[in-house]
Amino acid sequence: MNPCIVVHGGAGGIDDGRVPAARAGCAAAVRAGLEVLAGGGGALDAVQAAVRVLEDDPEFNAGVGSALTRDGTVEVDAGIMDGATLRIGAIGAVEDLRRPIDLAREVLEDGEHVLLVGNAAWAFARERGYTPAPPTALITERALLRLEAERTRRAAAAAAAGPPRLREGGTVGACAIDAAGHVAAATSTGGITYKRRGRVGDTPLPGCGTWADDLGGAASATGHGESIIRVTLTRAVVDRLRAGMRAQDAARAGIEDLTARVRGEGGVICVDARGEIGIAHSTARMPWASASLAAPEPRTGVTAP
Ligand code: ASP
């Protein structure tokens, strides 16, 4: 087995000017995950390490730089899954949380529940020594501008009649396979700009934004969450892997379904049980990076290879 990792930085339409930073951010995340794998660490630790790097990077819509609710607040979602044991940890609609993926991992390790939301997630977090980030610490200038732009767009009568458009992505995710052949997936997001408070998207929902099963592989999704939930995108991709489909074909088929069945926009990455990766998206762009122990220099792109 050649341990490998693939990450995404969200399906959307990022400007040309931000492409270098998005590629560099994804490469840094892949390096962090690969370091874990190179040290003999497991896939679960590798995807957590990779997502943590992306949460700290204000370029992305996760942790610092999260999309804002219509009240101008930050509420994050995150999920992490271990393909060896099918253990899952997830959190939804949690305010002012600096390290969403770490708290999701705590839920996984605790094992009593799969998904904790809102204030209840904070009660659990406090028991483990977490403290809330200062109210504006996670809010970037770009997130504020995006909220303002969305408010304006919705106020325009013509636009108000149409469905919400996915304007910009930035959700982050990672999939990995380790030397023992175990797979894992992790995904973290601020959600979609102008969401209602309390809205939980696909990211923390098992089989929607995040899924991993050693019998098939691991997948992490991004895009319009309500659409992704309707087609349980990551479960659908991993089930195709389990049935023997090649990783790239499974990713592409998942996105084709998302378009055909619910006219959803999004992207997905996956790794199969042989260590092959798949990357697909229906949006203009989706930053990604991948590397393996045999080829450790990250490959990066903003469209599927
Ligand atoms: N899937 C995320 C959500 O709906 C957003 C994104 O990936 O851009 O919460």
Side-chain angles (χ1 to χ4, degrees), residues 7 23 26-27 30 277 279 288-292 295-301 305:
V7 308
R23 291 175 80 142
C26 288
V30 151
I277 64 165
I279 301 171
W288 61 272
S290 69
S292 70
E297 191 47 36
R299 296 170 59 215
T300 69

Side-chain angles (χ1 to χ4, degrees), residues 11-12 166 255-256 258-259 264-268 280-286:
L166 179 70
I255 294 303
E256 279 167 12
L258 181 68
T259 307
E265 276 192 300
V268 70
H281 54 100
S282 62
T283 48
R285 285 176 165 160
M286 183 178 75

Side-chain angles (χ1 to χ4, degrees), residues 8-12 61 67 77 146 166-172 187-193 195 199-204 209 221-229 265-267:
H8 69 75
N61 167 18
D77 296 344
R146 278 161 67 178
L166 179 70
R167 317 199 108 225
E168 206 175 353
T171 289
V172 306
T187 317
S188 181
T189 188
I192 50 177
T193 297
K195 67 182 182 180
R199 177 263 190 188
V200 174
D202 60 299
T203 299
T222 166
H224 184 241
E226 283 71 6
S227 304
I228 291 169
I229 292 167
E265 276 192 300

